[in-house]
Amino acid sequence: MQFKNKIMGHSCGLLAFALSTLLLWGCDQHQPLKHDKDIASVENVLQELISSDNKGDLKGVMSHYAENAVLMSPNGVSIAGHENIETHYGKIFENSTFLNLKAVSHDIRVQGNMATIAGINYGSIVSKKDSTDTEIHGKFMMLFEKQGGSWKITRLIWNDAGSRENLFTPNQ
């Protein structure tokens, strides 16, 4: 009898383990789809931001920033808050005739309602004042938070890489 109870106990334990594993495996099968959708959504925000930059579309740019966002640009002070970031972009658009920027993400990570992108940006900016064409070669890190079902930029940190040769590549 004692032997039979031991076998039944092990069998029940194995059955519980198998059912738990199947249940968790079944739940995990749906996670990658949601995760892939979030990664695509975050990448889309980046590309929409760059497109709005290139058009000089202040409203489009600002639609991607959270109210409490912080912009950390090279050799400058951090710009905190939606209104201050809007003023900063307004000055860029006011002084630039033409923006031709591109961004490439090298690493996108999503964890719950938070996401990050690391990547590079490059292109040129033509000044309205004197038609000077300035090459841009930068590295960036963006932090996102999902707010009301949309991904919003909470931090944008970028720095000047100096030249195209100094840009971050995925193999580094």
Side-chain angles (χ1 to χ4, degrees):
M1 186 73 152
Q2 195 174 29
F3 179 71
K4 189 177 177 182
N5 285 343
K6 230 180 199 182
I7 290 177
M8 288 296 285
H10 287 303
S11 296
C12 287
L14 285 172
L15 181 61
F17 174 77
L19 288 174
S20 298
T21 301
L22 285 172
L23 180 63
L24 289 174
W25 181 76
C27 290
D28 282 347
Q29 295 305 304
H30 299 291
Q31 277 302 97
L33 294 176
K34 181 178 185 275
H35 191 260
D36 290 348
K37 184 179 177 184
D38 284 334
I39 287 173
S41 294
V42 170
E43 172 71 31
N44 190 52
V45 171
L46 170 63
Q47 296 309 323
E48 286 178 1
L49 177 68
I50 292 297
S51 176
S52 293
D53 280 339
N54 289 337
K55 294 175 193 170
D57 177 6
L58 186 58
K59 186 176 179 180
V61 166
M62 295 312 299
S63 71
H64 299 296
Y65 279 92
E67 287 298 320
N68 64 341
V70 177
L71 175 62
M72 301 163 85
S73 59
N75 304 319
V77 296
S78 295
I79 302 164
H82 204 264
E83 188 175 314
N84 293 330
I85 293 171
E86 185 171 15
T87 300
H88 174 76
Y89 273 101
K91 288 177 185 173
I92 291 171
F93 296 153
E94 186 178 299
N95 294 319
S96 303
T97 302
F98 182 71
L99 290 157
N100 182 24
L101 304 173
K102 295 190 179 6
V104 178
S105 59
H106 291 302
D107 186 26
I108 301 177
R109 298 177 188 225
V110 176
Q111 182 68 41
N113 286 335
M114 304 298 286
T116 62
I117 296 181
I120 61 170
N121 61 328
Y122 58 94
S124 62
I125 299 175
V126 177
S127 170
K128 275 185 182 175
K129 186 177 175 182
D130 59 10
S131 298
T132 307
D133 188 355
T134 304
E135 292 262 331
I136 301 292
H137 303 96
K139 306 173 202 177
F140 68 86
M141 174 72 70
M142 298 173 86
L143 307 176
F144 295 84
E145 185 178 328
K146 201 170 206 179
Q147 298 178 351
S150 298
W151 289 101
K152 298 291 184 182
I153 301 165
T154 57
R155 300 290 183 274
L156 172 52
I157 307 156
W158 69 278
N159 63 46
D160 184 6
S163 69
R164 192 171 192 114
E165 293 79 33
N166 294 333
L167 292 177
F168 167 83
T169 62
N171 297 330
Q172 288 181 321

Short mmCIF file of all heavy atoms in Angstrom, two decimals, residues 21-33:
data_model
loop_
_atom_site.label_atom_id
_atom_site.label_comp_id
_atom_site.label_asym_id
_atom_site.label_seq_id
_atom_site.Cartn_x
_atom_site.Cartn_y
_atom_site.Cartn_z
N THR A 21 3.76 22.70 -17.57
CA THR A 21 4.67 22.98 -18.69
C THR A 21 3.88 23.25 -19.96
O THR A 21 4.16 24.21 -20.69
CB THR A 21 5.64 21.80 -18.90
OG1 THR A 21 6.38 21.60 -17.69
CG2 THR A 21 6.60 22.07 -20.05
N LEU A 22 2.88 22.43 -20.23
CA LEU A 22 2.06 22.63 -21.43
C LEU A 22 1.31 23.96 -21.36
O LEU A 22 1.21 24.67 -22.36
CB LEU A 22 1.06 21.48 -21.60
CG LEU A 22 1.66 20.16 -22.10
CD1 LEU A 22 0.60 19.05 -22.05
CD2 LEU A 22 2.21 20.32 -23.50
N LEU A 23 0.79 24.29 -20.20
CA LEU A 23 0.07 25.54 -20.03
C LEU A 23 0.99 26.73 -20.27
O LEU A 23 0.67 27.65 -21.02
CB LEU A 23 -0.55 25.62 -18.63
CG LEU A 23 -1.32 26.90 -18.30
CD1 LEU A 23 -2.53 27.02 -19.24
CD2 LEU A 23 -1.77 26.90 -16.86
N LEU A 24 2.19 26.71 -19.66
CA LEU A 24 3.14 27.80 -19.86
C LEU A 24 3.62 27.85 -21.31
O LEU A 24 3.76 28.92 -21.89
CB LEU A 24 4.34 27.63 -18.93
CG LEU A 24 4.06 27.90 -17.46
CD1 LEU A 24 5.29 27.54 -16.62
CD2 LEU A 24 3.66 29.33 -17.22
N TRP A 25 3.87 26.70 -21.91
CA TRP A 25 4.31 26.66 -23.30
C TRP A 25 3.23 27.24 -24.21
O TRP A 25 3.51 28.02 -25.09
CB TRP A 25 4.63 25.21 -23.70
CG TRP A 25 5.12 25.10 -25.11
CD1 TRP A 25 6.36 25.42 -25.58
CD2 TRP A 25 4.37 24.64 -26.23
NE1 TRP A 25 6.43 25.19 -26.92
CE2 TRP A 25 5.22 24.71 -27.35
CE3 TRP A 25 3.08 24.17 -26.41
CZ2 TRP A 25 4.80 24.32 -28.61
CZ3 TRP A 25 2.67 23.78 -27.67
CH2 TRP A 25 3.53 23.87 -28.75
N GLY A 26 1.98 26.90 -23.93
CA GLY A 26 0.87 27.43 -24.72
C GLY A 26 0.74 28.93 -24.58
O GLY A 26 0.51 29.64 -25.56
N CYS A 27 0.94 29.46 -23.39
CA CYS A 27 0.87 30.92 -23.18
C CYS A 27 2.03 31.61 -23.88
O CYS A 27 1.85 32.66 -24.48
CB CYS A 27 0.92 31.24 -21.69
SG CYS A 27 -0.57 30.75 -20.80
N ASP A 28 3.22 31.02 -23.81
CA ASP A 28 4.39 31.64 -24.43
C ASP A 28 4.29 31.70 -25.94
O ASP A 28 4.91 32.53 -26.57
CB ASP A 28 5.66 30.88 -24.04
CG ASP A 28 6.13 31.24 -22.64
OD1 ASP A 28 5.63 32.23 -22.09
OD2 ASP A 28 6.99 30.52 -22.13
N GLN A 29 3.51 30.85 -26.55
CA GLN A 29 3.40 30.84 -28.00
C GLN A 29 2.79 32.14 -28.51
O GLN A 29 3.03 32.53 -29.63
CB GLN A 29 2.56 29.65 -28.48
CG GLN A 29 3.21 28.30 -28.19
CD GLN A 29 4.60 28.22 -28.77
OE1 GLN A 29 4.79 28.41 -29.96
NE2 GLN A 29 5.57 27.95 -27.93
N HIS A 30 2.00 32.82 -27.69
CA HIS A 30 1.35 34.06 -28.12
C HIS A 30 2.21 35.29 -27.83
O HIS A 30 2.01 36.32 -28.42
CB HIS A 30 -0.03 34.20 -27.47
CG HIS A 30 -0.95 33.08 -27.85
ND1 HIS A 30 -1.44 32.94 -29.12
CD2 HIS A 30 -1.40 32.03 -27.15
CE1 HIS A 30 -2.20 31.85 -29.18
NE2 HIS A 30 -2.18 31.29 -28.00
N GLN A 31 3.17 35.17 -26.93
CA GLN A 31 4.01 36.31 -26.57
C GLN A 31 4.84 36.83 -27.74
O GLN A 31 4.90 38.03 -27.95
CB GLN A 31 4.93 35.95 -25.40
CG GLN A 31 4.26 36.09 -24.04
CD GLN A 31 3.75 37.47 -23.80
OE1 GLN A 31 2.58 37.74 -24.01
NE2 GLN A 31 4.61 38.38 -23.39
N PRO A 32 5.53 35.97 -28.53
CA PRO A 32 6.35 36.52 -29.61
C PRO A 32 5.56 37.37 -30.59
O PRO A 32 6.07 38.37 -31.08
CB PRO A 32 6.94 35.28 -30.29
CG PRO A 32 6.95 34.25 -29.22
CD PRO A 32 5.72 34.54 -28.39
N LEU A 33 4.32 37.01 -30.87
CA LEU A 33 3.52 37.81 -31.80
C LEU A 33 3.30 39.21 -31.25
O LEU A 33 3.46 40.19 -31.96
CB LEU A 33 2.19 37.13 -32.08
CG LEU A 33 2.27 35.79 -32.82
CD1 LEU A 33 0.88 35.19 -32.96
CD2 LEU A 33 2.92 35.96 -34.17
#
